[in-house]
């Protein structure tokens, strides 16, 4: 929605979308807008985060009438191939292309080399702050060897060896000097054609060395020297400003890199602490698992002891049951014997009554003995229970003594693990606080840096606008100069016609003084108009030299040439006037 509003607000011939974050969908919208509106000839897409695919789509929609393309501070990379295809098409006449800081690498320069060999319209190319390197510089130098039209190429801050950079600069200077010589030769031929007049040689008079003319020459020389000094001073100031801007941008980039390194170090330290914490947690889990295994082993051993105790108790009960069975069997046997003896020895019962009493006594003794044996067995059973309990207690004490040490070690390890875990949590919390503080500082620093970069971009944008305005003014002045040249040519043609009519009248013998004076007045008016037009053009050149920042050598050359032409015309006019006055006199 915001991009659509920005596009609707654009007015031809300039399309300015600086600092608009354009994803692939945004690039598609811009490409459709350019395809539907072909009147935009100056396209500015500075700092729009354009990738290679988006730039290819935009390049396919650029109008053949476009003259300027500024796409600096993006991420075009391999998308420069689409621009090279466009520039190799003769129907496109782009003159200025700015691809500063666009991740252009050495392999991409091979395509730029092919474009430079075939293109005849491009005059300015900016490839500053990319990743060209030595290999890419060799490609560019190869392309420049087949190109005579490129007058400006910036490849600074690209890790290019000084030798290759010097060769590239020399090749660009050679193109500039060739173009300047061609323009100067064309200007000299035109001046010779304008100032040539087939007049007879006459002796010098006092009018040829007029003092006011020498004063005009002196004033012109002083003005030209002042203009030269002013132009050189402006060039030095611009150079210093550019160096200061580049230094500040380099410092900002270094500061951003240092901040990013600090953040990466803090992240790496935090990751190490997290790894150490995970190791401690794994050790704690392993110790806890060992403690659980020891607890299970202790429970199993206690269960085994209880099972052994139950088995021994069952054995004691079995012995007791066996003893009671034997005792009942003995009683039954004794009773049977007594009954048998009673039945068999009844006749002798009386005789052996006394024996029976004795046997009864023996039986009582035997019962006492049985009681004693019962007490003994009871005591034995109690002793066995006590022994079992003693054995059980002794076994429990031994098992406890056996495992207590390991349990204490495990408890100590668990306490140490908990303490280590607490220390790790405290350290992690402190690291997180440090990270949060670092992120806050980094965010603040980034905001400050982005604000500074935005301010610098605004300044550069204002400078570009001023340069574009001055360029438009220069084009207007050039058009006015062309109109003045046509006017001057018309005046020269009228002067030639006048001289032709005068010569015809001389051949026919028409020496009327009044007619000659009319012709003289007409010639004088034409010369005066011509000089006024030339003087107006000189004033426009002076104003242009005072406002223009670039191409000052050409302006100075044209200014000096025009001053020379005007001076020659004034001298010729004075000589011709004197000649006519002599003829009329």
């Amino acid at each position: 929605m915001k991009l659509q509003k920005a596009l609707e607000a654009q007015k031809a011939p300039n399309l300015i979308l600086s600092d608009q974050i354009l994803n692939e969908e945004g690039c598609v919208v811009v490409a459709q807008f350019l395809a539907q509106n072909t009147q935009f000839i100056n396209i500015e897409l500075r700092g729009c985060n354009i990738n290679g695919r988006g730039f290819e789509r935009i390049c396919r929609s650029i109008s053949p009438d476009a003259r300027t393309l500024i796409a600096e501070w993006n991420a075009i990379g391999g998308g420069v191939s689409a621009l090279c295809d466009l520039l190799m098409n003769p129907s496109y006449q782009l003159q200025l292309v700015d691809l500063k800081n666009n991740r252009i690498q050495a392999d991409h320069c091979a395509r730029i080399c092919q474009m430079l060999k075939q293109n005849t319209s491009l005059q300015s190319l900016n490839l500053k702050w990319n990743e060209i390197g030595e290999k890419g510089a060799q490609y560019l130098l190869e392309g420049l060897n087949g190109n005579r039209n490129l007058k400006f190429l910036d490849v600074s801050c690209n890790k290019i060896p000084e030798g290759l950079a010097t060769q590239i600069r020399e090749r660009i200077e050679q193109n500039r000097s060739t173009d300047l010589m061609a323009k100067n030769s064309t200007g000299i031929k035109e001046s010779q054609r304008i100032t040539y007049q087939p007049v007879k040689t006459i002796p010098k008079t006092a009018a040829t060395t007029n003092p006011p003319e020498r004063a005009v020459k002196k004033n012109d020389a002083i003005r030209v020297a002042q203009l030269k000094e002013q132009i050189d001073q402006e060039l030095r100031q611009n150079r210093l400003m550019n160096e200061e801007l580049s230094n500040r941008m380099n410092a900002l980039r270094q500061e951003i890199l240092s901040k990013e390194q600090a953040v990466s170090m803090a992240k790496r330290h935090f990751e190490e602490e997290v790894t150490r914490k995970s190791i401690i947690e794994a050790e704690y889990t392993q110790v806890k698992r060992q403690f659980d295994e020891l607890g299970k082993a202790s429970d199993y051993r206690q269960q085994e002891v209880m099972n052994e105790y139950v088995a021994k108790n069952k054995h004691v009960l079995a012995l007791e049951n066996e003893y009671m069975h034997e005792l009942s069997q003995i009683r039954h046997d004794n009773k049977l014997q007594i009954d048998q003896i009673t039945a068999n020895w009844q006749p002798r019962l009386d005789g052996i009554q006394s024996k029976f009493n004795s046997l009864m006594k023996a039986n009582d003794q035997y019962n006492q003995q049985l009681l004693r044996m019962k007490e003994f067995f009871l005591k034995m059973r109690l002793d066995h229970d006590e022994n079992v309990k003693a054995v059980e207690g002794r076994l429990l004490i031994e098992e406890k003594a056996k495992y207590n040490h390991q349990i204490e070690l495990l408890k100590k390890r668990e306490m140490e693990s908990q303490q280590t875990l607490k220390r790790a949590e405290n350290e992690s919390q402190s690291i997180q606080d440090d990270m949060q503080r670092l992120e806050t500082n980094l965010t603040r620093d980034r905001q400050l840096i982005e604000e500074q970069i935005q301010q610098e971009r605004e300044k550069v944008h204002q400078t570009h606008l001023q340069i574009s305005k001055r360029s438009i003014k220069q084009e207007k002045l050039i058009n006015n100069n062309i109109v003045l040249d046509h006017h001057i040519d018309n005046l020269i043609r009228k002067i030639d016609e006048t001289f032709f009519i005068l010569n015809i009248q001389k051949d026919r013998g028409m020496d009327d003084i009044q007619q000659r004076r009319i012709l003289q007045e007409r010639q004088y008016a034409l010369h005066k108009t011509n000089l006024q037009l030339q003087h107006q053009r000189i004033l426009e050149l002076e104003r242009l030299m005072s406002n223009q920042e670039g191409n000052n050598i050409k302006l100075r050359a044209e200014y000096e040439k025009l001053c020379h032409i005007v001076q020659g015309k004034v001298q010729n006019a004075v000589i011709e006037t004197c000649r006519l006055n002599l003829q009329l006199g």
Side-chain angles (χ1 to χ4, degrees):
M1 193 67 183
K2 184 178 179 182
L3 177 60
Q4 194 67 32
K5 290 182 179 179
L7 290 173
E8 292 175 356
Q10 299 297 321
K11 295 182 179 179
N14 299 324
L15 176 63
I16 300 174
L17 293 175
S18 298
D19 300 324
Q20 295 281 343
I21 305 301
L22 300 179
N23 51 15
E24 292 191 6
E25 295 179 358
C27 293
V28 171
V29 173
V30 174
Q32 294 176 354
F33 180 79
L34 287 173
Q36 296 173 0
N37 301 274
T38 59
Q39 69 271 21
F40 292 100
I41 62 174
N42 299 319
I43 303 170
E44 183 174 341
L45 303 172
R46 182 186 291 110
C48 295
N49 196 22
I50 301 173
N51 58 12
R53 292 183 180 178
F55 189 70
E56 290 177 359
R57 293 176 178 175
I58 291 173
C59 287
R60 295 192 190 102
S61 303
I62 293 176
S63 172
D65 298 330
R67 294 294 180 268
T68 302
L69 176 60
I70 299 174
E72 60 182 19
W73 295 93
N74 288 296
I76 294 170
V80 73
S81 299
L83 179 62
C84 292
D85 294 337
L86 185 143
L87 290 171
M88 285 190 289
N89 189 347
S91 61
Y92 287 87
Q93 299 296 321
L94 275 173
Q95 297 178 357
L96 187 147
V97 176
D98 191 348
L99 300 177
K100 179 169 60 180
N101 193 7
N102 266 291
R103 301 178 183 175
I104 298 173
Q105 299 179 358
D107 297 335
H108 306 150
C109 293
R111 192 64 176 164
I112 297 175
C113 173
Q114 297 177 1
M115 179 271 295
L116 290 175
K117 290 180 180 179
Q118 299 182 20
N119 182 269
T120 58
S121 63
L122 188 63
Q123 296 182 3
S124 177
L125 178 61
N126 192 347
L127 298 175
K128 189 176 182 181
W129 287 340
N130 283 292
E131 302 171 5
I132 294 175
E134 183 177 358
K135 185 178 178 182
Q138 292 176 356
Y139 282 127
L140 293 177
L141 187 60
E142 181 183 353
L144 287 173
N145 290 330
N147 187 291
R148 298 293 182 272
N149 300 307
L150 193 64
K151 306 300 184 300
F152 178 81
L153 176 61
D154 191 354
V155 292
S156 57
C157 302
N158 273 289
K159 297 181 181 179
I160 298 175
E162 187 63 29
L164 288 174
T166 303
Q167 293 179 14
I168 291 172
R169 286 195 296 270
E170 291 176 354
R171 192 70 191 83
I172 295 297
E173 290 295 333
Q174 186 177 356
N175 288 352
R176 291 178 183 172
S177 61
T178 303
D179 184 66
L180 182 61
M181 289 173 64
K183 288 186 177 180
N184 288 336
S185 63
T186 305
I188 291 170
K189 289 180 182 179
E190 291 179 356
S191 64
Q192 289 176 357
R193 183 176 59 82
I194 294 171
T195 57
Y196 176 75
Q197 294 179 357
V199 297
K200 296 181 180 180
T201 304
I202 60 173
K204 292 184 179 180
T205 60
T208 60
T209 58
N210 198 357
E213 293 179 4
R214 290 197 299 271
V216 170
K217 288 183 180 180
K218 187 175 180 181
N219 292 331
D220 291 339
I222 293 170
R223 186 180 297 172
V224 168
Q226 291 177 354
L227 289 171
K228 287 181 179 179
E229 185 178 357
Q230 184 177 0
I231 291 166
D232 293 336
Q233 186 176 1
E234 290 180 356
L235 288 173
R236 285 194 298 270
Q237 290 178 357
N238 290 331
R239 195 179 297 111
L240 291 173
M241 288 176 65
N242 291 329
E243 291 177 356
E244 184 179 358
L245 284 173
S246 62
N247 293 329
R248 290 179 66 184
M249 292 299 294
N250 290 328
L252 290 173
R253 291 179 68 184
Q254 293 295 331
E255 187 175 357
I256 291 171
L257 289 174
S258 62
K259 295 290 184 181
E260 289 179 352
Q261 289 177 359
V263 171
S264 62
M265 289 178 65
K267 286 183 177 179
R268 189 163 54 251
H269 183 66
F270 177 72
E271 289 174 357
E272 290 176 355
E273 292 296 332
V274 170
T275 305
R276 189 168 63 182
K277 181 181 177 181
S278 62
I279 292 170
I280 292 170
E281 289 178 352
E283 291 179 354
Y284 173 73
T285 305
Q286 185 177 2
V287 170
K288 189 175 181 180
R289 187 171 59 253
Q290 291 177 358
F291 180 75
D292 293 337
E293 290 176 356
L294 290 173
K296 290 179 181 180
S298 177
D299 294 337
Y300 180 73
R301 183 59 182 169
Q302 289 179 1
Q303 187 67 29
E304 285 182 351
V305 171
M306 289 298 295
N307 293 331
E308 187 178 357
Y309 170 73
V310 171
K312 288 182 179 181
N313 194 10
K314 287 180 179 179
H315 182 65
V316 170
L317 291 173
L319 290 174
E320 186 177 358
N321 292 328
E322 185 180 358
Y323 168 73
M324 292 300 294
H325 180 69
E326 289 179 357
L327 182 61
S328 61
Q329 188 68 31
I330 290 170
R331 285 181 179 178
H332 181 68
D333 292 341
N334 288 330
K335 187 177 181 181
L336 289 175
Q337 287 178 3
I338 291 169
D339 291 338
Q340 188 178 2
I341 290 170
T342 303
N344 293 327
W345 299 91
Q346 185 66 35
R348 297 171 66 184
L349 183 61
D350 295 333
I352 56 177
Q353 185 66 39
S354 57
K355 292 182 179 181
F356 177 75
N357 294 326
S358 60
L359 287 173
M360 289 296 294
K361 290 181 180 179
N363 191 14
D364 293 334
Q365 291 178 359
Y366 185 71
N367 287 329
Q368 290 178 0
Q369 188 177 359
L370 285 175
L371 290 174
R372 286 195 300 270
M373 287 180 70
K374 285 182 179 180
E375 291 177 356
F376 174 75
F377 279 110
L378 182 60
K379 185 177 180 182
M380 183 179 176
R381 184 178 178 182
L382 293 174
D383 292 337
H384 179 265
D385 294 337
E386 291 178 356
N387 290 329
V388 169
K389 290 182 179 180
V391 169
E392 183 181 358
R394 187 167 61 254
L395 290 173
L396 290 173
I397 290 169
E398 289 177 357
E399 292 295 330
K400 287 182 179 179
K402 183 178 179 181
Y403 292 104
N404 276 336
H405 181 64
Q406 295 182 0
I407 291 170
E408 289 177 357
L409 290 175
L410 290 174
K411 287 182 178 180
K412 288 182 180 179
R413 289 182 182 177
E414 185 179 4
M415 291 177 66
E416 290 177 356
S417 300
Q418 289 178 357
Q419 292 176 359
T420 307
L421 184 61
K422 287 182 180 180
R423 287 198 300 271
E425 288 177 354
N426 293 329
E427 291 178 358
S428 176
Q429 185 65 31
S430 62
I431 290 168
Q432 289 178 358
D433 294 337
D434 294 336
M435 284 291 294
Q436 188 175 3
R437 186 168 60 256
L438 287 172
E439 288 178 356
T440 305
N441 295 331
L442 182 60
T443 305
R444 186 176 63 254
D445 295 337
R446 282 183 177 175
Q447 290 177 356
L448 291 174
I449 291 168
E450 288 177 356
E451 290 177 357
Q452 293 177 359
I453 291 172
Q454 186 66 26
Q455 292 176 1
E456 295 296 333
R457 284 182 179 176
E458 289 178 357
K459 291 181 181 178
V460 174
H461 181 62
Q462 293 296 329
T463 305
H464 280 294
L465 289 177
Q466 292 177 2
I467 291 171
S468 61
K469 289 179 181 178
R470 291 176 181 176
S471 300
I472 293 169
K473 289 181 180 179
Q474 183 182 3
E475 290 179 358
K476 290 181 179 179
L477 291 174
I478 289 170
N479 294 328
N480 293 331
N481 290 333
I482 292 170
V483 173
L484 291 174
D485 288 335
H486 287 300
H487 198 175
I488 290 169
D489 291 336
N490 293 328
L491 291 175
I492 291 169
R493 189 169 59 254
K494 290 180 180 180
I495 291 170
D496 293 336
E497 290 176 357
T498 304
F499 275 105
F500 180 72
I501 293 169
L502 184 61
N503 290 327
I504 290 172
Q505 290 176 355
K506 285 181 180 180
D507 294 336
R508 292 179 179 179
M510 297 174 66
D511 295 330
D512 188 37
I513 297 174
Q514 185 177 2
Q515 190 174 6
R516 289 187 179 184
R517 285 184 177 179
I518 292 169
L519 292 173
Q520 182 183 3
E521 290 175 357
R522 183 179 179 184
Q523 184 181 3
Y524 177 74
L526 291 173
H527 277 290
K528 185 176 179 181
T529 306
N530 190 5
L531 289 174
Q532 288 178 354
L533 292 172
Q534 295 286 353
H535 184 66
Q536 184 179 359
R537 186 172 179 181
I538 288 170
L539 293 176
E540 290 179 355
L541 284 174
E542 289 178 354
R543 186 166 58 255
L544 183 63
M545 288 170 66
S546 63
N547 294 327
Q548 183 66 24
E549 295 181 356
N551 297 327
N552 293 305
I553 297 173
K554 298 179 183 179
L555 294 177
R556 285 201 299 271
E558 187 176 359
Y559 176 77
E560 292 174 357
K561 181 179 69 176
L562 195 57
C563 290
H564 180 70
I565 291 169
V566 170
Q567 291 174 4
K569 286 186 177 182
V570 170
Q571 292 177 0
N572 291 329
V574 172
I575 292 169
E576 186 66 22
T577 303
C578 294
R579 186 177 65 81
L580 292 173
N581 288 328
L582 289 172
Q583 290 178 0
L584 293 172

